[in-house]
Amino acid sequence: MSATRRRLLRQNRVLWLLDRLEREPRADAVIDTLRKGVRSLPLGRGRDLLHGRWLGHPVHPLMVQVPIGSWLSAAVLDLRPGRSRESRLLIGFGLAAAAPAALAGWTDWAELHRQQQRVGLVHALSNTVAVGLYAASLACRVKGREAAGRTYGFLGMTAVGVGGMLGGHLAYRQASGANHAEEVPHVVSAGWHGVGTVDELPAGRPVRRVVDDVPVLVVRETGGQIHALAERCSHLAGPLAEGTVEDGCVRCPWHGSVFRLSDGWNVRGPATAPQPSFETRITEGGRVEVRLRHQDGAEPAEQRREPAVQGSGTRTDAAHGHDARD
């Protein structure tokens, strides 16, 4: 084998270091302490606000654009003489914006897998170093030490770059913050799919079934309604079938996200995306079938002409095989 081919087959050094960081357990005790501290913060409903449930995806990547953009602009101005006042303003604004962005990041970080938390901890440390360097840069500029201020600023931008690289690894390599149920509409085929009989669904207990290799959560409520959702939590693919059912919702056993059984809406975070939901029907022989809602090529349920049955998620029409839902 040629030396060129050996170099091509050799693992990228940066990826090797990142993979090793994911497996490094020495900081796990620190991670446990920080995670417990972040989770104990009295944020109330603000926790979902920081997760970005209102936005439909994590808000932290949006918030970090403000300090990064401010500091990058200051670095560009530092390349030209006579713009120290503007640079000071941008650096100060970036420092002010870094605090809420960091709070959102820590809130998300506390609900990640351990491997993601290990990378996220170094990501946070890199950004903390950047904040310290920019604070030193601002202090030097206020005292008239412009050369030192620019030096600290460029060092801070370097730390920001390292933190951004680690953040990209978290988002794109480790899929933290991604919707882990997004592929369901692309995998489940159109039409109705059998998931067992009514007798196989104990009332009030979540049951796991599989449709086109996609795990599906099926719940028969005590009143007879049958609901079906994608079974893997959109937050980090937690097994909803192992969760708890209460008040018409299912709670993920991993990180506590709560989804409405009737339509998959994420009632509580950290999940920022709803669960794909299924229409349900019972055939004449008592067989339960499900069909993905709003799938391309299928008529939306609310546009069908069958009258809905008040308070029922499933209606059987043995003669025509129609179904209706509230």
Side-chain angles (χ1 to χ4, degrees):
M1 183 182 297
S2 67
T4 301
R5 182 162 180 78
R6 282 197 298 270
R7 285 195 299 270
L8 291 174
L9 293 176
R10 191 178 304 154
Q11 185 176 5
N12 181 286
R13 183 68 176 176
V14 174
L15 290 178
W16 180 83
L17 290 172
L18 290 171
D19 290 342
R20 183 173 179 180
L21 176 60
E22 294 177 15
R23 300 189 299 270
E24 178 54 61
R26 282 183 288 186
D28 285 357
V30 176
I31 289 173
D32 288 336
T33 300
L34 290 172
R35 179 174 176 269
K36 183 178 180 180
V38 173
R39 283 189 158 190
S40 66
L41 292 175
L43 297 175
R45 294 185 177 180
R47 192 173 297 275
D48 275 358
L49 183 70
L50 291 169
H51 282 311
R53 191 174 71 88
W54 59 275
L55 186 61
H57 61 77
V59 72
H60 173 67
L62 176 64
M63 298 178 72
V64 298
Q65 303 306 310
V66 179
I68 292 176
S70 299
W71 294 335
L72 179 60
S73 299
V76 173
L77 292 179
D78 281 343
L79 297 175
R80 299 181 58 189
R83 306 303 294 269
S84 58
R85 182 177 179 275
E86 291 85 351
S87 294
R88 286 199 301 271
L89 177 62
L90 287 166
I91 290 173
F93 188 74
L95 287 170
L103 180 59
W106 281 111
T107 305
D108 287 341
W109 173 87
E111 309 297 341
L112 296 178
H113 293 314
R114 181 50 52 92
Q115 292 83 358
Q116 296 166 329
Q117 287 179 330
R118 290 166 180 164
V119 176
L121 180 62
V122 181
H123 166 73
L125 289 174
S126 179
N127 288 331
T128 301
V129 170
V131 168
L133 289 169
Y134 273 110
S137 174
L138 183 60
C140 288
R141 293 168 193 265
V142 170
K143 296 177 182 178
R145 299 169 55 196
E146 294 295 336
R150 287 194 295 271
T151 300
Y152 280 121
F154 288 128
L155 290 173
M157 180 52 60
T158 302
V160 167
V162 174
M165 181 269 293
L166 292 169
H169 185 83
L170 274 164
Y172 299 111
R173 179 80 172 226
Q174 295 184 297
S176 63
N179 177 7
H180 287 257
E182 191 279 334
E183 80 283 355
V184 172
H186 311 294
V187 177
V188 175
S189 59
W192 293 97
H193 304 269
V195 291
T197 64
V198 175
D199 294 338
E200 295 173 344
L201 303 175
R205 289 176 53 188
V207 175
R208 183 182 186 272
R209 292 291 185 263
V210 177
V211 173
D212 289 338
D213 295 327
V214 173
V216 175
L217 170 75
V218 184
V219 177
R220 179 169 69 90
E221 296 193 271
T222 53
Q225 303 99 321
I226 296 178
H227 305 292
L229 304 177
E231 196 265 344
R232 291 300 181 184
C233 178
S234 63
H235 175 232
L236 282 177
L240 295 182
E242 299 177 16
T244 55
V245 174
E246 186 177 1
D247 296 330
C249 297
V250 59
R251 178 185 175 91
C252 180
W254 281 5
H255 303 99
S257 296
V258 177
F259 301 95
R260 197 161 54 202
L261 288 170
S262 60
D263 58 5
W265 185 252
N266 47 319
V267 177
R268 188 178 309 148
T272 59
Q275 289 296 111
S277 64
F278 294 77
E279 300 174 70
T280 65
R281 72 179 183 184
I282 303 174
T283 66
E284 188 175 2
R287 183 174 176 80
V288 179
E289 295 182 341
V290 301
R291 178 173 69 179
L292 192 65
R293 281 197 176 103
H294 310 312
Q295 193 171 38
D296 289 345
E299 183 182 9
E302 61 269 19
Q303 294 181 9
R304 292 199 302 272
R305 296 184 179 180
E306 295 85 1
V309 177
Q310 184 67 29
S312 173
T314 305
R315 179 175 67 86
T316 302
D317 188 329
H320 299 92
H322 293 315
D323 74 290
R325 64 183 178 86
D326 47 350

